[in-house]
Amino acid sequence: MDARTHLADFQHRLYRTRPGVQQTPPVLRAKLLEKVAHLQGKVMWDVGAGSGSIAIEWKLHRPCAEVFAIERFDERCFDIYKNAEQFGADINIINQFAEKEILDILPRPDLIYHGCPGECVEDLYPLLWNYLSPGGCLISNAVSGTGVQRAYAAQARYGGEITVIDAFDLIRHQWMAYKPGIEIAATGQSDGNAS
């Protein structure tokens, strides 16, 4: 099955979630993951995983990848577990807040998805950027005022692009940036920068 066919399948999976927990709609989930479908990295972190939909979809798209769904709320971790079980995705669920002591023991990621950048008291972008492998990608969808401010501040600091998406009566600011270094992509080309 090619990537396009598999990505189209994203729209047909329904994920268990809690009232009030933001979940990336299926169409946007497919578009988001299509943007990073060229990445060949082996480790993915879904930070603030919520229902685990992004982590699970990445694992289904990249069966050999090591995927970590990092979520601090117990009830959301239960939902992630049930969703992963339903769709046969063997992912690692970390029931902790994303903090240095936890992230230090995980393999360094080639792809980080940061689910709700405005939900935390502190801005996690600087912490996550430090863990991202050279050539790796950090991508997120900001929906709150705080999250949007943090996304634009991250763009000013690290580069990348912000795409404004108006869908399902909710404006999302999607920030996506590649860390300078060896490209983790199908081409295998390096941009010549060091991290």
Side-chain angles (χ1 to χ4, degrees), residues 118-131:
E119 189 176 75
C120 304
V121 172
E122 61 186 279
D123 182 356
L124 294 181
Y125 283 133
L127 178 70
L128 298 177
W129 189 261
N130 285 337
Y131 283 97

Side-chain angles (χ1 to χ4, degrees), residues 68-86:
F68 296 85
I70 303 166
E71 176 54 62
R72 61 181 163 158
F73 295 109
D74 295 347
E75 65 275 8
R76 295 182 189 181
C77 285
F78 177 75
D79 291 344
I80 295 168
Y81 170 78
K82 296 302 283 184
N83 288 328
E85 182 180 55
Q86 177 183 356

Side-chain angles (χ1 to χ4, degrees), residues 16 24 34 45 83 89 94 104 116 146 153 170 180:
R16 170 192 184 114
T24 307
E34 193 168 21
W45 293 357
N83 288 328
I94 311 296
D104 277 347
C116 297
T146 300
L170 191 60

Side-chain angles (χ1 to χ4, degrees), residues 11 15 23 34 42 58 66 69 96 101 106 108 113 115 118 122 125 129 150 158 165 168 185:
Q11 300 175 36
Y15 286 86
Q23 187 178 101
E34 193 168 21
K42 301 295 184 190
W58 188 252
E66 196 170 3
Q96 292 285 342
E101 291 75 12
L106 300 180
R108 198 167 182 185
Y113 176 73
E122 61 186 279
Y125 283 133
W129 189 261
R150 289 175 176 171
Y158 307 113
I165 305 164
F168 306 96

Side-chain angles (χ1 to χ4, degrees), residues 86-141:
Q86 177 183 356
F87 297 116
D90 184 15
I91 65 171
N92 303 286
I93 303 168
I94 311 296
N95 185 195
Q96 292 285 342
F97 186 73
E99 52 193 16
K100 190 175 188 311
E101 291 75 12
I102 299 302
L103 302 182
D104 277 347
I105 63 175
L106 300 180
R108 198 167 182 185
D110 308 300
L111 172 62
I112 298 176
Y113 176 73
H114 183 14
C116 297
E119 189 176 75
C120 304
V121 172
E122 61 186 279
D123 182 356
L124 294 181
Y125 283 133
L127 178 70
L128 298 177
W129 189 261
N130 285 337
Y131 283 97
L132 186 64
S133 295
C137 179
L138 199 160
I139 187 168
S140 70
N141 284 326

Side-chain angles (χ1 to χ4, degrees), residues 158-191:
Y158 307 113
E161 66 177 8
I162 291 181
T163 305
V164 179
I165 305 164
D166 183 0
F168 306 96
D169 298 320
L170 191 60
I171 304 290
R172 290 172 173 81
H173 289 71
Q174 185 179 91
W175 175 58
M176 178 177 180
Y178 290 90
K179 191 169 187 179
I182 300 169
E183 289 270 348
I184 313 233
T187 62
Q189 296 176 348
S190 169
D191 64 6

